[in-house]
């Protein structure tokens, strides 16, 4: 009787177990607030983690002081709404001034990430990786950390080279929905298992594990967010992986191609805005979810036709996957260009994308030819068709160099 009296007026709260987009409630949940479809922000109660909006009550454990010392929510607390002073138009302009096409396309990918469940559903069945490639000191990582700043403070890329395993990779990809997950230090020496997980992650399938049952059933974790990969090496370990990425090459910042004063200034301004918080930009983008939901399927098909026609005009033949990888991002631009200022003209965006597709195709072709040569060379040694000191010589003094009697090889 006492319990009934105490609890009769209490309402049931829905616990948020995965931050990011909540399909049931049509909101984005941060660790400290939610954004609804109209762009309204509702802050969580810091004492109990409760957020009330309309007739809905949500419980965000990371927001509650009850779990303040619980390390399980340490990383979740970094995924926090910070409104800041930036608007989308200013952010887009600075992105272009600092990084040119790379800045614009990276921003487009950030926007598509907020609707990545829709992209996946109607692409159909994939979300491409954005692969940022270039030598050290070309600002690949610092540029990507700006994208992560949309989602909070202190969010960092995860190393593919270090302690990450295929299981850890899959778990990370399932912790946030319609946000951004970034992996850095890609090399072609990562394990075959990790390459396999990357390949299936393109189709939003994660690590597959056997169930503890009497049959042979398995369970796969799901990839819920868009993924950016950063590396100093092109992803040539498997051609199928190369075909699952949109490649952005970074060269600015080297001795031969330094950043200009204007580019440095734009980058500094981006950093200042990121330090303040970029939550207002997420609000601006998310307000258009219903419009994207209603129009994306048709627009994706239309954009694919336009891009294919432009490629054919330039006599550039590409497979359906490469076409789709780029079209699914450009379709978001087409839908929102009249609603958000991307600071780039439509014709320029398309023509630069066509050039970028050609560059990626050429890079993939060169990488395949180089790999074919060295595979043939190593097979020749293994089969004793190529003999050291006769067909080739290895210099091990200051540099590890190979001299090849090319005609015989």
């Amino acid at each position: 009787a006492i319990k009934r009296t105490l609890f009769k007026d209490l309402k049931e709260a829905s616990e948020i177990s995965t931050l990011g987009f909540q399909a049931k409630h049509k909101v984005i949940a941060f660790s400290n607030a939610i954004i609804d479809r109209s762009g309204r922000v509702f802050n969580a109660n810091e004492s109990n983690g409760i957020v009330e909006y309309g007739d809905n009550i949500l419980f965000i454990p990371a927001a509650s002081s009850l779990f303040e010392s619980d390390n399980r929510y340490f990383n979740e607390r970094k995924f926090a709404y910070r409104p800041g002073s930036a608007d989308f138009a200013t952010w887009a302009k600075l992105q272009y001034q600092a990084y040119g096409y790379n800045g614009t396309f990276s921003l487009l990918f950030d926007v598509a990430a907020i609707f990545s469940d829709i992209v996946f559903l109607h692409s159909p069945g994939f979300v491409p990786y954005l692969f940022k490639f270039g030598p050290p000191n070309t600002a690949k990582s610092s540029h990507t950390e700006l994208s992560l700043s949309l989602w909070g403070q202190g969010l960092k890329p995860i190393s593919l080279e270090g302690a990450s395993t295929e299981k850890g990779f899959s778990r990370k990809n399932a912790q946030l929905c319609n946000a951004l997950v970034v992996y850095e230090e890609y090399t072609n020496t990562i394990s075959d298992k990790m390459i396999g997980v990357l390949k299936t992650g393109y189709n939003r399938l994660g690590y597959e594990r056997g169930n503890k049952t009497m049959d042979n059933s398995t369970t796969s974790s799901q990839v819920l967010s868009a993924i950016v990969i950063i590396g100093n090496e092109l992803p040539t370990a498997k051609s199928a992986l190369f075909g699952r990425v949109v490649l952005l090459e970074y060269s600015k910042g080297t001795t031969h191609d330094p950043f200009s004063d204007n580019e440095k200034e734009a980058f500094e301004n981006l950093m200042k805005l990121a330090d303040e918080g970029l939550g207002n930009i997420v609000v601006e983008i998310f307000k258009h979810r219903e419009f994207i939901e209603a129009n994306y399927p048709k627009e994706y098909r239309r954009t694919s036709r336009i891009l294919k026609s432009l490629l054919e005009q330039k006599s550039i033949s590409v497979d359906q996957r490469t076409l789709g990888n780029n079209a699914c991002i450009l379709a978001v631009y087409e839908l929102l260009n009249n609603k958000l200022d991307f600071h780039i003209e439509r014709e320029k965006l398309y023509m630069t994308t066509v050039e970028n597709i050609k560059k990626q195709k050429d890079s993939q072709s060169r990488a395949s030819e180089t790999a074919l040569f060295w595979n043939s060379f190593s097979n020749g040694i293994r089969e004793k068709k190529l003999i050291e000191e006769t067909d080739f010589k290895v210099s091990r003094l200051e540099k590890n160099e190979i001299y090849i009697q090319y005609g015989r090889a």
Side-chain angles (χ1 to χ4, degrees):
I2 295 174
K3 282 185 179 180
R4 281 197 299 272
T5 303
L6 288 173
F7 295 119
K8 68 177 182 179
D9 295 324
L10 291 181
K11 297 179 181 178
E12 185 177 351
S14 299
E15 181 177 344
I16 301 298
S17 57
T18 302
L19 296 178
F21 180 64
Q22 310 297 308
K24 179 181 178 181
H25 301 283
K26 306 294 184 186
V27 301
I28 294 178
F30 288 87
S31 65
N32 61 339
I34 65 163
I35 302 171
D36 74 0
R37 285 177 291 180
S38 63
R40 294 178 300 174
V41 178
F42 299 85
N43 293 313
N45 186 309
E46 292 181 6
S47 63
N48 58 22
I50 293 294
V51 184
E52 295 189 46
Y53 72 105
D55 297 326
N56 301 287
I57 303 175
L58 303 179
F59 169 55
I60 305 175
S64 174
S65 59
L66 296 171
F67 300 103
E68 195 171 356
S69 58
D70 194 327
N71 289 331
R72 287 179 300 171
Y73 302 107
F74 177 77
N75 286 322
E76 284 191 14
R77 292 190 189 96
K78 296 177 184 178
F79 191 87
Y81 175 75
R82 301 163 63 241
S85 62
D87 59 26
F88 185 90
T90 301
W91 188 250
K93 183 178 180 179
L94 289 170
Q95 286 271 7
Y96 186 78
Q97 290 174 342
Y99 292 99
Y101 173 78
N102 284 358
T104 297
F105 199 91
S106 184
L107 175 60
L108 271 172
F109 191 82
D110 295 341
V111 175
I114 294 175
F115 310 115
S116 64
D117 62 321
I118 300 172
V119 173
F120 173 73
L121 187 63
H122 300 291
S123 48
F126 67 87
V127 177
Y129 298 127
L130 186 63
F131 195 102
K132 298 187 176 185
F133 161 74
N137 303 316
T138 50
K140 305 182 299 295
S141 294
S142 54
H143 187 202
T144 309
E145 286 182 24
L146 289 171
S147 296
L148 286 173
S149 296
L150 290 164
W151 300 105
Q153 190 171 34
L155 296 165
K156 297 289 183 182
I158 304 153
S159 172
L160 280 171
E161 198 176 45
S164 297
T165 64
E166 57 272 12
K167 291 180 182 178
F169 177 87
S170 295
R171 281 196 294 268
K172 188 66 181 176
N173 296 336
Q175 287 174 358
L176 300 170
C177 184
N178 282 9
L180 201 66
V181 179
V182 180
Y183 294 93
E184 64 179 358
E185 297 176 344
Y186 172 89
T187 69
N188 288 308
T189 58
I190 63 174
S191 70
D192 288 343
K193 284 186 177 180
M194 182 64 83
I195 292 287
V197 173
L198 282 168
K199 284 165 60 178
T200 57
Y202 172 85
N203 302 108
R204 298 221 138 176
L205 296 174
Y207 185 78
E208 190 174 85
R209 62 185 183 276
N211 294 325
K212 294 180 179 179
T213 56
M214 298 299 289
D215 54 20
N216 294 320
S217 63
T218 59
T219 301
S220 293
S221 58
Q222 197 172 4
V223 176
L224 299 177
S225 283
I227 295 173
V228 176
I229 304 173
I230 307 170
N232 298 338
E233 298 180 13
L234 288 169
T236 57
K238 301 284 184 182
S239 60
L241 178 58
F242 210 149
R244 286 165 165 79
V245 309
V246 174
L247 186 69
L248 294 183
E249 293 194 32
Y250 287 69
S251 59
K252 282 276 189 177
T254 59
T255 307
H256 303 293
D257 191 12
F259 289 106
S260 69
D261 290 340
N262 288 338
E263 288 166 337
K264 290 177 183 176
E265 183 182 359
F267 175 73
E268 290 299 324
N269 288 330
L270 286 167
M271 289 292 290
K272 288 175 185 175
L273 292 175
D275 287 342
E276 292 176 12
L278 302 173
N280 285 341
I281 295 175
V282 178
V283 170
E284 275 191 80
I285 298 167
F286 186 62
K287 283 193 295 188
H288 302 294
R289 179 175 173 88
E290 288 187 357
F291 179 76
I292 293 285
E293 227 169 358
N295 295 284
Y296 186 86
K298 184 178 179 180
E299 186 56 51
Y300 170 70
R301 294 191 294 271
R302 189 182 79 91
T303 303
S304 296
R305 291 194 297 271
I306 293 170
L307 185 57
K308 184 179 180 181
S309 175
L310 290 171
L311 288 164
E312 288 173 347
Q313 288 172 31
K314 297 285 184 178
S315 300
I316 302 169
S317 61
V318 296
D319 55 66
Q320 190 63 36
R321 178 175 284 164
T322 300
L323 178 69
N325 289 345
N326 288 272
C328 72
I329 307 301
L330 291 178
V332 175
Y333 169 85
E334 289 283 18
L335 289 171
L336 297 182
N337 189 34
N338 292 327
K339 301 176 184 297
L340 298 171
D341 183 1
F342 287 97
H343 198 72
I344 191 170
E345 293 179 0
R346 181 177 180 272
E347 183 179 356
K348 185 172 185 178
L349 175 64
Y350 269 91
M351 295 318 297
T352 314
T353 299
V354 167
E355 291 170 11
N356 197 56
I357 290 171
K358 185 179 186 305
K359 280 172 63 179
Q360 179 170 342
K361 183 184 177 185
D362 291 345
S363 294
Q364 188 171 5
S365 176
R366 285 194 302 272
S368 298
E369 289 168 2
T370 304
L372 178 62
F373 172 83
W374 288 111
N375 285 337
S376 300
F377 186 78
S378 59
N379 285 336
I381 295 171
R382 193 162 41 247
E383 295 170 8
K384 300 189 185 324
K385 292 178 179 177
L386 295 176
I387 309 300
E388 189 170 359
E389 300 297 337
T390 300
D391 301 310
F392 67 95
K393 182 178 180 179
V394 180
S395 172
R396 298 184 176 87
L397 295 175
E398 292 183 5
K399 298 178 181 178
N400 289 324
E401 296 179 334
I402 299 179
Y403 298 88
I404 302 172
Q405 189 75 270
Y406 198 75
R408 286 177 57 84

